[in-house]
Amino acid sequence: MGFLKKLGVGLVAVLAAVCLFVFLCAVNPDLTQSISSILYGEDGSSGLIGGKVSRDTSAAALPAGVSPTATIPGQTSGGTAIADLVPYTPYNGTITTIPENVSGRTGFVPVTGVQEQLSDAQAKEAAKTVEKGSTGSDLEFDPTFYPYYSMLDEKTQSLYRQIYANACDVVSSFAPCVEVKTDQVQNAFEAVFADHPELFYVQTAYTEKYTKDGKVVEIDMAYYTIANDLETARQQFEAAAQSIEESARQYPDDYSREKFVHDALIEKVVYDTAASLDQSAYGALVNGRCVCAGYSRGFQYVMQKLGIPTYYVTGSSGEDHAWNIVGLGDGFYNVDVTWDDAEPASYDYFNKTDGDYAGTHVRKSLSVYLPACTGTQYRNLESGAPVQGEGEETQTADAPAGSSDFYDPYFDPYINNDPGQPLSYDKEHPVKTEDDKNKNNNQYSSNAAQQLEALGLKESDALKNLQDYYADCKKQLVSCGKGDHTFYNLVPDTLFKTIESEYGTGKYRTGYLDSALKTIGAENCNIVIQAERVGGGYYRIWHNVYVW
């Protein structure tokens, strides 16, 4: 009996202590947070209990607001376990090798929330005065292009829609449309910023105000000063993106379009840690100066417009860093435009697997739930220097007429000897043998004057250099004016390939098109180029244009 009595007294004492502890935590949230930090660490993984970061993606291990099931990119409907569909492995999270030429080319600033606890009186006042703004309840986000949204649970998705809608309306303060805690707000903001590079005018920082019991009652967003004239900024942003997009659409497939966008950004952007809007797609596309976050968001936005699934990835490369994941035919690939824009420019980080990135790139936060990069079909297809280097190397202005140096089977499908027929492109076009090449080249290398005369052309009509070509194109386009027109130029084969390069990189726009459209008073123009090999080492380049 004495033992049972002591046991009963002990249980009562323990129960009383537990009740007192719960009461103290309830009235003092800071105490709860301090104890949590001791047990689990500040990041939830480094305390007495947290230990090493786990790759377990079960419901118990997921961050608050992240759903254990999600519609993953490439899936059309339904929920599938994240752990089953996104087997990304961070290679122990160890950064081992950072090449010297890309060292320090980071600069990504993580989404940061400032927390402010309100008094009871302040909380009551906020409940009266702070409105919800737009809740975005009618918005939908395709998981193929907005994967971060699909990672969230239903409640956090509601907050995501509200953040996005209020950002579009440039609302500074709003009350959450659902009851959420601070960690859910963090995940919602991270997801919105990762999915939407078009919010270039929103700073990656916010303030959340919460009550003693941890309920968030007000969220404040910060905007760059460019938001003061947002209509103009959006016009500039869209025009810059559209210029690259339209040039990229001249290419026949997603891979060649992706490569063009990659190269165009390398040509356009300068890595600059002191630039304004350095974290923003606007910094890359309009200002041409930014850090890794700007490169990645600019690349993501143009690729989205092209309909190619492209995701913004955050993690570490010794320091906080951002890059992209691109979905092509057989899977997903890593792309780091920032590091490819080092000295010398390269394709060293273009379309690589997670294995290729081991030791240099480690995903963090919500990015670990993006698809693993295991594609191989479009890996390591490029070498050498992109854009500037390729453009200089492929021009053969000094090659003699009839030289086989000008022949490039990639352009052959665009050669149409009947300009009256629509231009077609055959992906399966065979690469010709050396005998075929020599036969074709020699066929058109003799009796130039006679062959041209048969078509009503003269050698003296041929344009000698790129400047003459651009001047002639502008003159003829302006003469045509608005509407549907066709005109042609006669060029030697030595100039033909240079012209092809100008269209491939989009330089023709500044070469003559933009100036011609301004003179005409038109906003845009569609151009289809057809090349007719007319003999004697010459091409006739047909321009089928529609100006409006």
Side-chain angles (χ1 to χ4, degrees):
M1 290 294 293
F3 170 75
L4 294 176
K5 182 176 180 181
K6 291 179 180 180
L7 179 61
V9 172
L11 290 174
V12 170
V14 170
L15 181 61
V18 170
C19 291
L20 178 61
F21 176 75
V22 171
F23 174 75
L24 290 174
C25 289
V27 298
N28 190 352
D30 291 338
L31 174 61
T32 306
Q33 185 171 355
S34 298
I35 295 173
S36 175
S37 296
I38 294 172
L39 292 175
Y40 298 101
E42 293 294 337
D43 60 358
S45 62
S46 58
L48 297 177
I49 294 177
K52 188 177 180 180
V53 176
S54 171
R55 289 302 304 136
D56 179 14
T57 52
S58 64
L62 293 171
V66 177
S67 174
T69 62
T71 303
I72 302 301
Q75 304 294 313
T76 56
S77 63
T80 307
I82 285 178
D84 293 337
L85 279 180
V86 192
Y88 167 71
T89 304
Y91 299 95
N92 298 321
T94 303
I95 301 296
T96 57
T97 306
I98 302 295
E100 184 176 350
N101 70 319
V102 296
S103 179
R105 294 181 70 85
T106 51
F108 154 65
V109 176
V111 176
T112 305
V114 177
Q115 299 180 358
E116 179 183 336
Q117 182 175 320
L118 302 179
S119 65
D120 290 341
Q122 290 173 324
K124 289 180 180 179
E125 181 64 20
K128 293 179 182 178
T129 59
V130 181
E131 299 181 352
K132 294 179 181 178
S134 175
T135 63
S137 58
D138 58 337
L139 296 176
E140 296 182 1
F141 298 98
D142 182 351
T144 301
F145 295 96
Y146 306 102
Y148 287 92
Y149 175 77
S150 66
M151 295 177 189
L152 306 176
D153 61 25
E154 186 174 347
K155 179 180 289 188
T156 315
Q157 284 182 342
S158 296
L159 182 59
Y160 172 114
R161 293 192 297 268
Q162 185 184 22
I163 293 171
Y164 177 78
N166 281 320
C168 290
D169 295 340
V170 198
V171 173
S172 297
S173 300
F174 61 91
C177 60
V178 290
E179 184 173 327
V180 289
K181 303 294 185 180
T182 57
D183 47 5
Q184 291 172 293
V185 176
Q186 174 73 19
N187 283 329
F189 265 100
E190 284 189 18
V192 169
F193 279 115
D195 275 342
H196 297 283
E198 71 273 19
L199 299 179
F200 58 84
Y201 51 91
V202 186
Q203 296 188 31
T204 56
Y206 65 93
T207 300
E208 51 186 348
K209 300 176 181 179
Y210 63 95
T211 60
K212 289 182 178 179
D213 61 359
K215 178 182 176 182
V216 178
V217 295
E218 180 180 338
I219 295 173
D220 300 334
M221 288 196 291
Y223 298 90
Y224 293 108
T225 55
I226 198 172
N228 295 334
D229 187 7
L230 189 53
E231 182 178 355
T232 298
R234 280 175 171 157
Q235 290 175 353
Q236 294 171 337
F237 180 71
E238 289 299 332
Q242 185 177 358
S243 177
I244 299 176
E245 177 199 358
E246 288 181 349
S247 296
R249 287 192 182 278
Q250 296 183 59
Y251 290 86
D253 53 59
D254 285 352
Y255 172 76
S256 56
R257 291 174 179 179
E258 175 207 15
K259 177 177 175 290
F260 175 84
V261 176
H262 168 274
D263 292 0
L265 286 177
I266 287 178
E267 185 176 28
K268 181 181 184 67
V269 182
V270 174
Y271 180 87
D272 186 355
T273 57
S276 61
L277 298 170
D278 65 334
Q279 303 290 311
S280 164
Y282 188 96
L285 297 176
V286 180
N287 295 339
R289 309 188 79 87
C290 61
V291 297
C292 59
Y295 277 91
S296 302
R297 286 174 168 135
F299 183 75
Q300 175 191 17
Y301 186 66
V302 178
M303 293 287 283
Q304 282 180 340
K305 289 173 71 66
L306 288 166
I308 303 172
T310 302
Y311 311 139
Y312 178 75
V313 188
T314 60
S316 175
S317 290
E319 300 176 347
D320 289 326
H321 189 43
W323 63 97
N324 296 101
I325 286 176
V326 176
L328 296 174
D330 70 330
F332 292 89
Y333 298 82
N334 289 294
V335 177
D336 191 336
V337 184
T338 311
W339 280 19
D340 278 345
D341 193 22
E343 290 293 337
S346 71
Y347 294 101
D348 290 347
Y349 303 94
F350 178 68
N351 284 4
K352 303 296 183 179
T353 66
D354 290 331
D356 294 327
Y357 271 26
T360 60
H361 296 69
V362 176
R363 302 187 209 174
K364 291 186 176 180
S365 193
L366 296 182
S367 292
V368 302
Y369 302 112
L370 291 172
C373 293
T374 57
T376 58
Q377 182 180 352
Y378 301 99
R379 174 177 173 263
N380 294 339
L381 297 185
E382 307 297 335
S383 61
V387 188
Q388 302 96 327
E390 281 191 351
E392 294 168 0
E393 291 171 7
T394 57
Q395 295 178 16
T396 55
D398 296 328
S403 168
S404 62
D405 290 342
F406 82 87
Y407 186 90
D408 187 337
Y410 178 81
F411 296 127
D412 196 66
Y414 292 97
I415 298 171
N416 182 1
N417 285 317
D418 186 358
Q421 297 299 317
L423 180 65
S424 63
Y425 178 80
D426 181 3
K427 291 184 179 180
E428 304 301 323
H429 187 86
V431 176
K432 300 190 177 184
T433 66
E434 289 300 321
D435 288 342
D436 291 331
K437 296 179 185 179
N438 293 331
K439 180 180 178 180
N440 285 336
N441 293 329
N442 293 332
Q443 178 183 353
Y444 298 108
S445 61
S446 62
N447 301 321
Q450 183 178 351
Q451 294 180 54
L452 293 176
E453 185 179 351
L455 297 173
L457 303 172
K458 296 182 295 185
E459 284 189 278
S460 59
D461 294 332
L463 304 172
K464 303 300 189 250
N465 53 54
L466 186 62
Q467 290 71 28
D468 289 346
Y469 168 77
Y470 279 154
D472 190 55
C473 284
K474 179 179 178 181
K475 178 182 178 181
Q476 294 200 62
L477 189 58
V478 170
S479 177
C480 291
K482 295 182 180 180
D484 194 356
H485 308 283
T486 299
F487 65 87
Y488 70 83
N489 323 99
L490 181 66
V491 301
D493 55 37
T494 52
L495 180 58
F496 173 68
K497 193 168 185 180
T498 300
I499 293 171
E500 288 282 357
S501 176
E502 294 292 296
Y503 281 95
T505 59
K507 294 179 181 178
Y508 73 98
R509 294 194 64 93
T510 55
Y512 76 92
L513 182 60
D514 291 343
S515 176
L517 293 180
K518 184 176 181 180
T519 302
I520 295 170
E523 295 183 358
N524 218 325
C525 174
N526 282 338
I527 302 179
V528 176
I529 301 297
Q530 300 180 76
E532 178 189 7
R533 189 179 284 156
V534 294
Y538 289 93
Y539 282 88
R540 180 159 49 178
I541 301 179
W542 294 85
H543 303 70
N544 304 288
V545 300
Y546 182 76
V547 181
W548 73 95

